[in-house]
Amino acid sequence: MALQVAEGDETPDGNPHDTPYGVARPFVDVGAPSFRFDDHRLRTARTQGLLPDSIYGPVVCDHATVGRLLRKPTLVHDPWRQLRCSGVTDHAIGSWFASLLIFSRADDHDALRQRMRPLLRGPAFDPSFAAAEALAATAGVDGACEFVADVADAIVDAQAARLLDVDRGTYREIAQPVRDLALIHRLMPLQTLARARAAVEHVQDFLGRLARREGVTAAERPDWTRSRMSLLIGFEPYRLTLGQLVAVLADHPRTWSAAAEDETTARSAVRELLRWMPTAPIQIRFTEQPLTLADRTLEPGRPVLLCAVQANRDGEPDGDAYQPLRMPTRPHLSFGAGLHYCIGATVSEHQLSAVLRALATRFGAPEPAGEVRWGPPSGVQGPVEVPVRLTRRPT
């Protein structure tokens, strides 16, 4: 369906949304704490070919346009503009934010990816079932638990410690600051700015000490730090995806049981979750040249929100439902596309599948034990509390 703009839609308070373009358009408050990118208004926009507005810019929801714009070289990541969208002008945070892989360009980008590849092939990301069993064994639970804190955190801490070649107790020094680093990816981080700034300083100091221990030269230090920082940031969506996987499969006990015996079932369940509700629901890009979308032209420097959640559901039969054994009709866009396609995409999928198999082997199907609580939208989203009952299978 062709992308359109609807006239006369109203904001939640009942007033037409006046945009910089002088036209009343459908509006979604993507910065509201309770907002989710599977919101029915975005679903309606997707199915009717509409282009809703947000306070940041237009939200693109259809698969064809999102995929095309992700690959468009004149739509770029711009860390400084992205921070200013949220009112952040802190230079220390901006310099750190700009150093991450996702914002690198051309030769610098390729060089950093090359530095990260050996780490992704290292023991921290061993996709074997034996390695996943060892990770699952770090969660000493049997009965009611809060899955993210009691299981997912233990798994992630063990992997991150192995990545940095330190013991888990040493890694715990920066485990929470690493999670706080993800706060700056949110669209509205002002209330957590002090935590983000402290996290940047803490993690950089910690990595500096490790670099000195390993004899990293001053010339090598920036790339050494950036590669590890980029991978550490990736553990936050990983732990939230684990939480979401358990929350969803609590409603699919047969799939959970089948995953214990069948690697194909485990991979299908993980791939479907990544399609259905990615932890990176949007990507913010900025125009370097005038860009025409529907009946409007965006001038250079304007933000565009590319919504992977809705794009992944576009054109799929019953695409708004989670179906663990789905055979998708098109590739999902949860890991992006083009130059900035996630370097850890394949590793993440294999790792999640192996850990799911290990957990399903160790525990019976999870039983809900309370209400799942979600974190704020955008940036990195996911459940921060998943109360379940996990019962150990007989040895």
Side-chain angles (χ1 to χ4, degrees):
M1 182 178 294
L3 204 59
Q4 304 171 13
V5 174
E7 303 294 337
D9 279 28
E10 296 182 335
T11 58
D13 63 6
N15 298 318
H17 175 57
D18 294 324
T19 74
Y21 316 103
V23 180
R25 305 184 187 281
F27 177 78
V28 287
D29 186 3
V30 299
S34 61
F35 184 80
R36 294 271 299 278
F37 282 89
D38 59 351
D39 186 274
H40 68 93
R41 289 163 294 184
L42 287 184
R43 188 184 316 147
T44 299
R46 184 193 82 225
T47 57
Q48 296 183 5
L50 307 178
L51 184 64
D53 250 325
S54 72
I55 58 174
Y56 304 98
V59 186
V60 184
C61 297
D62 70 286
H63 189 281
T65 307
V66 170
R68 174 172 60 84
L69 295 180
L70 283 171
R71 296 175 175 88
K72 194 175 183 65
T74 54
L75 264 186
V76 299
H77 287 284
D78 189 322
W80 299 100
R81 282 198 180 105
Q82 185 168 331
L83 290 173
R84 285 198 295 271
C85 281
S86 298
V88 177
T89 57
D90 187 291
H91 182 75
I93 288 180
S95 297
W96 163 76
F97 201 44
S99 74
L100 297 178
L101 174 67
I102 194 171
F103 296 112
S104 304
R105 298 193 189 188
D107 293 344
D108 187 47
H109 182 93
D110 291 338
L112 186 53
R113 289 173 76 95
Q114 291 300 325
R115 180 176 282 272
M116 291 170 64
R117 282 194 174 96
L119 297 173
L120 288 168
R121 299 187 186 110
F125 301 101
D126 183 349
S128 69
F129 181 64
E133 280 188 310
L135 291 172
T138 62
V141 300
D142 188 4
C145 68
E146 197 290 288
F147 181 84
V148 176
D150 296 333
V151 182
D153 284 359
I155 291 172
V156 167
D157 291 353
Q159 287 189 256
R162 181 167 288 188
L163 169 70
L164 299 177
D165 193 23
V166 298
D167 61 74
R168 286 180 61 191
T170 301
Y171 176 72
R172 292 298 304 172
E173 179 184 338
I174 60 162
Q176 187 57 52
V178 165
R179 290 165 198 155
D180 288 344
L181 291 178
L183 295 171
I184 204 62
H185 286 276
R186 309 221 184 271
L187 289 175
M188 298 293 286
L190 288 178
Q191 66 275 25
T192 53
L193 191 57
R195 282 174 60 192
R197 185 187 301 114
V200 170
E201 295 172 354
H202 199 158
V203 175
Q204 285 182 328
D205 177 69
F206 182 91
L207 292 178
R209 284 185 273 130
L210 286 188
R212 288 191 293 274
R213 183 197 72 179
E214 295 188 17
V216 179
T217 67
E220 296 172 328
R221 182 80 60 83
D223 283 345
W224 186 94
T225 302
R226 289 173 66 196
S227 62
R228 283 147 183 82
M229 189 80 85
S230 291
L231 288 176
L232 287 174
I233 291 294
F235 280 115
E236 179 64 5
Y238 175 64
R239 68 187 278 270
L240 295 178
T241 300
L242 281 174
Q244 186 164 268
L245 190 61
V246 167
V248 168
L249 289 182
D251 294 328
H252 297 270
R254 290 184 179 178
T255 299
W256 177 275
S257 298
E261 306 294 336
D262 181 27
E263 181 179 353
T264 301
T265 298
R267 290 208 175 171
S268 178
V270 166
R271 193 174 297 117
E272 170 67 353
L273 182 70
L274 294 172
R275 178 204 70 86
W276 180 69
M277 187 60 76
T279 53
I282 60 166
Q283 293 200 38
I284 304 177
R285 299 289 178 89
F286 293 83
T287 57
E288 283 196 329
Q289 298 176 3
L291 174 69
T292 299
L293 289 175
D295 66 346
R296 74 179 77 175
T297 297
L298 304 179
E299 297 303 319
R302 291 284 188 178
V304 180
L305 278 61
L306 308 178
C307 185
V309 174
Q310 295 298 331
N312 290 343
R313 302 177 180 198
D314 183 33
E316 288 287 347
D318 199 16
D320 289 304
Y322 174 81
Q323 298 177 355
L325 301 182
R326 180 189 299 273
M327 295 294 290
T329 61
R330 62 183 72 182
H332 67 69
L333 298 170
S334 302
F335 292 118
L339 174 66
H340 289 284
Y341 184 75
C342 177
I343 189 174
T346 301
V347 171
S348 298
E349 195 169 297
H350 289 173
Q351 192 83 58
L352 286 163
S353 301
V355 170
L356 170 57
R357 284 184 61 212
L359 289 172
T361 300
R362 188 175 182 82
F363 301 103
E367 302 173 14
E371 185 175 351
V372 174
R373 187 171 70 86
W374 281 72
S378 77
V380 179
Q381 78 167 9
V384 293
E385 290 183 3
V386 182
V388 293
R389 178 173 293 276
L390 289 175
T391 304
R392 289 280 301 273
R393 296 186 188 275
T395 304

